[in-house]
Amino acid sequence: MQPKFKKSYRFAVKTSLYLTIYVTLLTSVFLFVFYSFNIWYILVLAVSTFIFSFFVTQYRVERFIYKRVKKIYDDLTLLESTSITKGTITTDMKTLTQEIDKFARDKKIEIESLKVREQYRKEFLGNVSHELKTPLFTVQGYILTLLDGAMEDKNLREKYLERASKGVERLGYIVKDLDMITKLEVGDLSLNPEVFNIVELVENVFDMLEMKAAKKRITLTFDTDYSKPIMVNADKERIQQVLANLMVNSIKYGQEKGTTEVSIENLIKNKVIVRVTDNGEGIDKKDLSRIFERFYRVDKSGSRKEGGSGLGLSIVKHIIEAHDEKIYVESEYGVGSEFSFTLEKAK
C-alpha cells in the first residue's frame, strides 16, 4: 500500500521558517562582522535554506509518522479488518482516528452479534435435543415394554404399537420440517409460482381442518362473502402450507367455541394482504419477537400435548420470505392474535 500524506504542510513550513530565520540571522551577523554585507546574498541564502529545510523536515516527519502508523495498520490487519486495511495508509491523524473508531464500532457490533448467535445456537441445540428426545424415549419405552412380555397381550400390543407409531410419526415431522427450513435458508427449495384464486385455496384449507376445529368447536370463517375470485401469483402448494400452519396454530391455542377468521384485502396496486385472526389465548409481548424461531414455544408445556414439530411458524416465515413478501403478527395476551402476510396480485 502506498502512503497517502496530509496535504497541509503547516508543520514543515513553520519548522523551516524557524530554521531559515536562525541560519539567516547567524549568517548576516557573521558577514557583517567579518565581510561586506550584501542583501542579495542574504535573500538567496534565506530562500535556499528554507527550501532545503522544508523538504528535509517534511520528508523526515512523514517517514517518522508513517513507520508508526504503518505498524498500527499492520496490527489491525492481524485482526482481519475489512475496512481499514483495504484503503491506503494515511498519516492524517484525524482520518486515522476516524477509521480506528469506525473499526472499533464495527468490531463491537460483530462481537455482540456473535454473542447473540452463540446464545441462539445453544438454545437451538437444546430445543432440538428435547424435541427429538421426547418421541425417541416414548417409542423406546413402548418397544421395551412389549419386549418384556406385554407383546403376549393382544390389546396392549396394539395400543403400544399405535403409540410408538405416533412417536415415529412425530419424529418424521421434525426431520421433514427441519429439512425444509434448511433448503429454504440456502435457497435449494425452488418455488413454482402460478396464478390461482386465494379465496378458493382458503376454502380448501377450511375443509382440511374442519374436523380438527370441530373438536374444540371453533368456527373457521371469512370476514365477509368473497363472491369474486382474488387471483394471486405464488407457489400454491407452499401458500397452502402457510395457511394450514397458521390456522392449525389458531385452533391449537384457540378457545372453546372460538373463531378463526380469514380476510383478504387489497394493500396496494399489485399486493394483497391475507389476515388470519383468532380470539384465542394471545401472545405475551415478550414472546412476540421470538415466535418465528425454530422450536420456540409460547406455551412451554401445553403445546407439546397437541403434537407437531414446533417448526410451523418458522416454516411460515421462510416460505413468505422466499416469495420476497412480508409477514406480520399482532397479538394481545388474553384477547387473541392476528397473523398477516402479503402476496403479489396476478396481472
Side-chain angles (χ1 to χ4, degrees):
M1 288 181 291
Q2 295 297 321
K4 177 184 176 183
F5 298 121
K6 188 177 177 181
K7 292 181 179 179
S8 174
Y9 298 110
R10 284 178 295 178
F11 175 80
V13 168
K14 287 182 179 180
T15 304
S16 301
L17 185 60
Y18 296 151
L19 290 173
T20 300
I21 292 172
Y22 174 76
V23 172
T24 302
L25 287 175
L26 184 64
T27 304
S28 299
V29 171
F30 180 80
L31 290 175
F32 181 77
V33 174
F34 296 100
Y35 300 97
S36 60
F37 183 83
N38 190 319
I39 188 63
W40 293 109
Y41 291 162
I42 297 301
L43 288 175
V44 170
L45 175 66
V47 171
S48 59
T49 303
F50 179 83
I51 293 173
F52 177 78
S53 300
F54 175 82
F55 283 109
V56 169
T57 305
Q58 182 68 19
Y59 175 77
R60 293 298 301 162
V61 169
E62 283 180 344
R63 296 307 301 171
F64 176 80
I65 295 176
Y66 174 74
K67 287 180 180 179
R68 282 150 182 77
V69 172
K70 177 72 163 56
K71 187 177 186 305
I72 296 175
Y73 276 82
D74 291 340
D75 291 341
L76 292 176
T77 302
L78 296 176
L79 297 175
E80 297 181 354
S81 167
T82 58
S83 57
I84 293 182
T85 55
K86 285 183 178 179
T88 54
I89 296 176
T90 174
T91 54
D92 182 350
M93 290 297 106
K94 182 179 179 181
T95 303
L96 179 63
T97 302
Q98 290 174 346
E99 289 185 354
I100 292 176
D101 286 344
K102 183 178 183 302
F103 171 80
R105 287 195 302 271
D106 291 345
K107 284 299 176 185
K108 184 178 180 181
I109 293 172
E110 185 179 336
I111 290 170
E112 292 299 323
S113 176
L114 289 173
K115 286 181 179 178
V116 171
R117 290 180 184 179
E118 175 64 14
Q119 182 63 28
Y120 175 78
R121 184 188 67 83
K122 289 178 180 178
E123 291 183 6
F124 173 70
L125 289 176
N127 287 330
V128 170
S129 174
H130 183 87
E131 294 294 336
L132 293 176
K133 181 174 64 178
T134 302
L136 275 174
F137 284 178
T138 300
V139 173
Q140 184 184 43
Y142 287 129
I143 291 175
L144 288 175
T145 303
L146 289 171
L147 291 174
D148 286 342
M151 193 160 36
E152 303 302 326
D153 187 324
K154 182 180 178 181
N155 293 330
L156 278 179
R157 182 171 68 235
E158 290 181 358
K159 183 170 70 173
Y160 284 4
L161 285 174
E162 285 177 3
R163 291 180 179 178
S165 177
K166 288 181 180 179
V168 173
E169 186 178 358
R170 186 174 175 201
L171 280 172
Y173 285 144
I174 295 173
V175 173
K176 181 182 176 182
D177 288 349
L178 273 174
D179 181 59
M180 177 178 290
I181 289 178
T182 302
K183 288 180 177 178
L184 283 166
E185 286 180 342
V186 301
D188 285 348
L189 188 65
S190 59
L191 299 176
N192 300 304
E194 59 180 292
V195 175
F196 62 91
N197 181 7
I198 186 66
V199 176
E200 183 182 350
L201 187 66
V202 173
E203 290 173 342
N204 291 340
V205 176
F206 281 167
D207 292 340
M208 286 169 49
L209 301 176
E210 184 179 6
M211 293 183 64
K212 189 176 185 68
K215 290 180 180 179
K216 295 184 71 172
R217 289 181 287 179
I218 290 175
T219 304
L220 303 177
T221 182
F222 282 108
D223 66 320
T224 187
D225 181 25
Y226 292 95
S227 56
K228 295 181 180 180
I230 300 175
M231 309 305 291
V232 296
N233 185 25
D235 187 317
K236 186 176 181 179
E237 183 181 345
R238 299 302 174 198
I239 297 304
Q240 178 173 301
Q241 188 175 7
V242 167
L243 288 167
N245 282 349
L246 291 178
M247 289 188 206
V248 164
N249 264 15
S250 176
I251 295 168
K252 182 188 298 184
Y253 297 105
Q255 296 180 354
E256 292 277 348
K257 300 181 182 179
T259 302
T260 295
E261 182 181 271
V262 176
S263 64
I264 307 165
E265 304 171 21
N266 287 316
L267 190 60
I268 53 177
K269 185 176 180 181
N270 65 331
K271 297 284 184 182
V272 297
I273 186 165
V274 182
R275 307 180 192 275
V276 179
T277 309
D278 65 60
N279 55 356
E281 296 178 9
I283 304 168
D284 202 318
K285 286 184 178 180
K286 65 181 177 62
D287 296 312
L288 276 177
S289 62
R290 302 192 60 189
I291 57 173
F292 292 110
E293 292 180 14
R294 301 178 186 183
F295 298 114
Y296 187 79
R297 295 181 186 269
V298 176
D299 182 355
K300 303 299 182 184
S301 57
S303 61
R304 284 188 172 84
K305 295 185 291 186
E306 300 287 344
S309 67
L311 297 165
L313 287 179
S314 185
I315 289 174
V316 164
K317 181 174 183 289
H318 280 88
I319 290 175
I320 295 301
E321 289 181 348
H323 283 80
D324 293 325
E325 300 293 345
K326 302 290 185 182
I327 185 165
Y328 309 93
V329 57
E330 294 181 11
S331 186
E332 185 176 345
Y333 188 73
V335 176
S337 304
E338 178 183 279
F339 288 85
S340 57
F341 59 92
T342 59
L343 287 175
E344 181 185 350
K345 287 177 69 175
K347 296 180 181 179

